[in-house]
Amino acid sequence: MLFLFFFLIALAAASYGVVWLADQPGSLTLEFAGQHIETSIPVAIGGLLLLIAAIILVWAIIVALVRLPKRMAGGSRERRKAKGLDVLSQGLVAVGAGDLARAKKAAQLAQKLLPEEPLTQLLVAQSAQLSGDNNTAAKAFHKMTLKPETKLLGLRGLHVEAKRREDADAAHHFAAKAQDIAPLPWAGSAVLQHLAASGEWDKAREALEKSVTAKAIDLPEAQKLRAVIETAMAVQREREQPHDALHLARQALKRRPNFVPAAVTAARVLIRHGDQKQAMKLIETVFAASPHPDLVEVYLDALPGEANSQRVAGVERLARLAWSAPAARHALAEAALAARDFAKAREALAPLVAEGEHPTAHTCLLMAEIEDAENGPSGPVREWLARGSRAPRDPVWIADGVVSRHWLPLSPVTGRLDAFEWKTPPHSVHHLTEEGRPNIPIAFRSRPDRPAIEAAAQS
């Protein structure tokens, strides 16, 4: 609307100027090369304007002719680029769909149409990975590292390829180079896992702090990993540097309250240096919130070498802190069985074997042991062993399908930190300890007077 307004004003001004010029008297005389030309002022101005318009038109035609080849070449490049981008799109879709033939064809065509396009190398690498051609994939990723805009992507690809061929040093090298360029979560995690797998816990903690500073990891997750690393450091220094180990374990407990591995490590250090009362107090505090068999094992070490009846009283005091937990009742039953207090052992397990309940394998094996100790080999012993073979499994330390007798800071399969969880294993897992034996409770395994029951449990 505003443009139309100004256009009308300009048109009116031009019309007024033409009328004014036509009304002016006078003439224009031109003598050139023996020629005498005389005309009015309006006609002379009109002729001048026509001459200027003709010159502009001729100049435009000349410029257009000069630029025509370049424009034709540019149009060809644009069409080539458009076709190349379309091929790239189709190729990446084919890679995602797992269509190897289309992906390879698209990669070859993209290399012809767009050899300098960063996505071309990505398509070549991914199609090579899809076909299992790791050498071609690595070469494509290496080319990507030569350009600043694709260097991180190339390093990520080289890291993946190194892990695929199980070259830990090369994988760490590429991850560290990427981490130096930018604090990426994948690079920080890879560097951290490599240092942890190498047992370089101090450097692992430094790497974690760098990721936290760069905000490549959220704080809750960082606190968990700090606790895991500090617990691993405490275990490493437990014998040679007990004071440092105790400090690290307590620090881990502050970061991750009721973290059983940290509590167990701290308690072991305290017991080794004669502070049993402090160790028992620590275990009782953690056991009330996280009843765990590992805590019971250390608690038994902290109890003074008294009579079995007194040890039963100590274990009962601990068990009462989490009386509804199976681990608490199992602990009391085992202590009572060792003291040959069969009534108390049965009483501890009674809620777990009551009608309508589904006792676990550990509970069934304990009941079989109680029957055998009290009445000798009999039908009830065989019945409990049979029930145990079909019973639900007890929780274990498990990570990536691997069961460990003790907690470990990282998975032996993937190297992932904080991978071990205390939970019921799936049916597909091989329920074995490091020694290749069934992961039944230590207290049950270690009794030499029950070879027949143990053999039956293993079978």
Side-chain angles (χ1 to χ4, degrees), residues 394-411:
D394 293 272
V396 292
W397 287 117
I398 182 171
D400 300 318
V402 174
V403 170
S404 174
R405 177 178 171 181
H406 299 295
W407 173 84
L408 297 173
L410 70 166
S411 166

Side-chain angles (χ1 to χ4, degrees), residues 234-243 245 268-269 272-273:
V235 172
Q236 194 178 57
R237 303 177 185 183
E238 187 176 333
R239 294 187 178 277
E240 296 181 359
Q241 299 172 289
H243 294 293
R268 280 202 305 259
V269 174
R272 190 171 291 116
H273 288 79

